[in-house]
Structure formats: C-alpha cells, structure tokens
Amino acid sequence: AALQLDKITASGGKIFATSGKKADFHTTLKKCKEAGGSIATPSNEGENNAIRHLVKSFNTYAYLGIRESLTPSKFQLLNGTQLSYTNWHLNEPSGKGKEECVEMYADGTWNDKRCYWNRLIVCQF
C-alpha cells in the first residue's frame, strides 16, 4: 500500500500518526499503547501544528494526552507533570472539574471535554 502522507506528520523528533478511526479517551490510550506509542501530547507550537494538520485533514477533533489535575481547571500531563505549553481556545478551560479530558479543535486550539466522546485517535511515536 502506498504511504498516506496525510495520516502522519513529524515535529522535533516526534512522529504523530492517525488511523483515521475514532474512539473515547480511554480506548485511545489503549490503541496508542498497542501500536507502540502514546497519545499525542504537544509540548510546543511545532508539535501542536503537526497534530493540527492531522485533525484538520480529517475535519474533526482529537483528544490530547492532558488531564485535569485534582485541582479543578488545572491541567497537567498524564504523568502528573505541569504543562510547559498550552494553546487553550478563548475562555477555555471552562468545565470546572466536570470536563477532565482535553480535545484539539480543527484550528489547533484546545478545549476541556468529557472523556466519553469519540474523537480522532492521534498517537505519537
């Protein structure tokens, strides 16, 4: 099969890829792990743009590897470390403890969201 370049992007040594399938947050974590990677987690603008390219090409949203901490409206990486880079949409995060996951919009900005919606599976390797 020919390599489908719209389904894979790279930035700063990280490769971001999607199968084009959708899943909830927990299934996304599982699928990325099974593929030998982890859920896409942008740590700078370049990586954010690489993920946005995939999200945009499928005209949908994707979960990121960011979770709300025990403090409402305070978000962190899945390993518990602080975010050094954020790209929140205007007036987000707004869930105040009700929306523990984070999705990326087609414009690359972030929104806090409940974890049970089906979003594009984007993994990093």
Side-chain angles (χ1 to χ4, degrees), residues 3-116:
L3 183 66
Q4 289 172 299
L5 289 173
D6 64 325
K7 293 189 178 180
I8 184 163
T9 57
S11 175
K14 270 192 204 173
I15 292 168
F16 300 98
T18 180
S19 61
K21 293 190 170 70
K22 294 184 175 187
D24 63 33
F25 180 76
H26 297 288
T27 305
T28 298
L29 291 183
K30 206 172 100 214
K31 294 281 182 199
C32 287
K33 200 175 174 187
E34 282 169 7
S38 54
I39 184 170
T41 308
S43 56
N44 56 51
E45 192 184 2
E47 293 180 3
N48 202 75
N49 288 342
I51 298 165
R52 184 190 70 190
H53 177 78
L54 297 175
V55 168
K56 235 177 133 165
S57 66
F58 285 91
N59 194 27
T60 185
Y61 302 160
Y63 283 122
L64 300 175
I66 298 164
R67 287 294 301 268
E68 194 161 28
S69 68
L70 295 173
T71 313
S73 300
K74 191 118 172 77
F75 286 77
Q76 61 191 21
L77 297 176
L78 298 186
N79 65 8
T81 55
Q82 276 184 305
L83 298 177
S84 54
Y85 167 81
T86 60
N87 193 35
W88 294 107
H89 194 76
L90 188 67
N91 301 325
E92 299 297 343
S94 62
K96 297 179 177 59
K98 300 256 191 296
E99 299 175 325
E100 315 89 63
C101 285
V102 177
E103 63 181 358
M104 179 186 283
Y105 287 154
D107 66 358
T109 60
W110 307 353
N111 169 50
D112 53 336
K113 190 80 180 170
R114 303 256 182 155
C115 302
Y116 54 70

